[in-house]
Amino acid sequence: MTNIIVAGAVGLILSMLGTPLAIRLFSRRGYGQEVREELQQGGHHSKRGTPTMGGTVIVLAALLAYGASHLAMLSTPTVSGLLVLFLMTGLGAVGFLDDFIKIYKQRSLGLRSGAKALGQLVVGAVFAFLVVRHPNVYGITPAETRVSFLRDIGPSIGIVGFTIWVLIMIVGFSNAVNLTDGLDGLASGATGVVLGAYVLIGNWQLRNNCIDQLGPNCYWVRDPLDLAVVAAAVLGALIGFLWWNAPPARIFMGDTGSLALGGVLAGLAIATRTQLLLIILAGLCVIITLSVIIQVGSYKMTGKRVFRMAPLQHHFELKGWAETTIVVRFWLIAMLCAALGLGLFYVEWMPRP
């Protein structure tokens, strides 16, 4: 438990103190945000030039916090924790390239969609290859070639099927968080509540691990404590960043942050064996992604738009909702989704009549 507290505290302090330094550095170098033309009329013109790539602070603070927690406890990092951090950092690097191209070419579009997807797939494929290897002394690997909900379910889908499934999760959730970004503090708050849920899930799995106490509902999870430490480190870094990203934002996380955060959520879901549960825990991101799918599908099939603009948050902007109203209400939806997911996770432990 001390590892979790140290990771969260160090991540918070480093991000809180490091973000203002990043704001000054990026401002001096002209690393400012470009805004889509259709959003200029919605008041987003004032955001043009706001420093972006703030996700670099989140990633660096989380990595240092994770290391500090192990150093403080004189413990050894685990394979599961390092793999999730690799996924976060790798996708963050893809996002960094995207952000840098936007800044360098002074446009709202960075990497071409194909190049961006290729980067996500390469990082995801390496993660998928490694996550089903490296068994511990009990033969438990960070993940099994099975789909999971509250734990692994059904038969093995094979290494090829599992790799495809993992890539769908990684690309899907990294893009989902990316789509959720766009309003000050929205993605930070929405992903923060999911990370908080994974701190609780990892801690619960630790206390009911099959290695320590074999029982009907115990968990065959390789490194539950370290996964909770990873979630706490990223959560602390995210809270410190949100202090400066809250409306009106003084810095944006950019694709560097949104892709990294989507990656860490997918990685935690895979390593804690709660893959399908993430759809509920991160329900707001899923809803926003569905709004884009519905908008594009409707326009291609009928020539008509369902929403005034997609993603969903911009629809409400064009309806006249204040930005802070949208952010707070969407945060509430994110909290309800996380609470529902946690409730489902704990439901199998409720006493049966």
Side-chain angles (χ1 to χ4, degrees), residues 203-217:
N203 189 51
W204 185 259
Q205 289 177 334
L206 170 69
R207 295 175 182 277
N208 297 279
N209 198 283
C210 295
I211 296 172
D212 297 323
Q213 51 179 35
L214 193 62
N217 290 329

Side-chain angles (χ1 to χ4, degrees), residues 74-301:
L74 300 177
S75 56
T76 304
T78 67
V79 172
S80 299
L82 292 175
L83 281 175
V84 174
L85 290 175
F86 159 77
L87 183 59
M88 176 187 73
T89 307
L91 291 177
V94 175
F96 182 87
L97 284 175
D98 188 57
D99 287 332
F100 188 79
I101 291 172
K102 290 176 186 175
I103 293 165
Y104 182 76
K105 295 193 174 182
Q106 294 292 295
R107 66 188 191 190
S108 61
L109 296 175
L111 282 172
R112 295 185 180 276
S113 58
K116 192 173 181 179
L118 178 62
Q120 292 170 299
L121 289 172
V122 169
V123 175
V126 174
F127 175 83
F129 175 80
L130 295 174
V131 80
V132 291
R133 289 163 174 79
H134 306 290
N136 61 9
V137 293
Y138 300 98
I140 306 173
T141 52
E144 295 286 344
T145 55
R146 299 163 66 188
V147 177
S148 60
F149 180 41
L150 305 180
R151 58 183 74 243
D152 288 331
I153 54 176
S156 169
I157 58 176
I159 188 63
V160 175
F162 180 75
T163 300
I164 294 171
W165 168 238
V166 166
L167 290 177
I168 290 171
M169 282 196 65
I170 291 171
V171 174
F173 278 100
S174 59
N175 286 329
V177 176
N178 185 240
L179 291 171
T180 303
D181 196 18
L183 298 184
D184 297 353
L186 178 56
S188 302
T191 53
V193 295
V194 184
L195 288 167
Y198 272 111
V199 173
L200 297 176
I201 287 172
N203 189 51
W204 185 259
Q205 289 177 334
L206 170 69
R207 295 175 182 277
N208 297 279
N209 198 283
C210 295
I211 296 172
D212 297 323
Q213 51 179 35
L214 193 62
N217 290 329
C218 66
Y219 299 98
W220 290 102
V221 176
R222 191 188 190 285
D223 307 297
L225 174 59
D226 209 39
L227 293 171
V229 170
V230 170
V234 181
L235 176 59
L238 193 58
I239 293 172
F241 177 79
L242 182 56
W243 181 268
W244 305 100
N245 182 235
R250 293 185 55 190
I251 188 171
F252 301 135
M253 70 169 64
D255 282 18
T256 309
S258 59
L259 294 187
L261 290 172
V264 80
L265 294 185
L268 287 169
I270 293 164
T272 58
R273 320 289 176 94
T274 56
Q275 298 155 16
L276 294 176
L277 185 64
L278 180 59
I279 296 172
I280 300 171
L281 290 169
L284 176 65
C285 298
V286 174
I287 292 169
I288 288 174
T289 303
L290 287 175
S291 74
V292 175
I293 295 172
I294 292 169
Q295 183 85 326
V296 173
S298 175
Y299 187 76
K300 286 187 174 181
M301 289 188 293

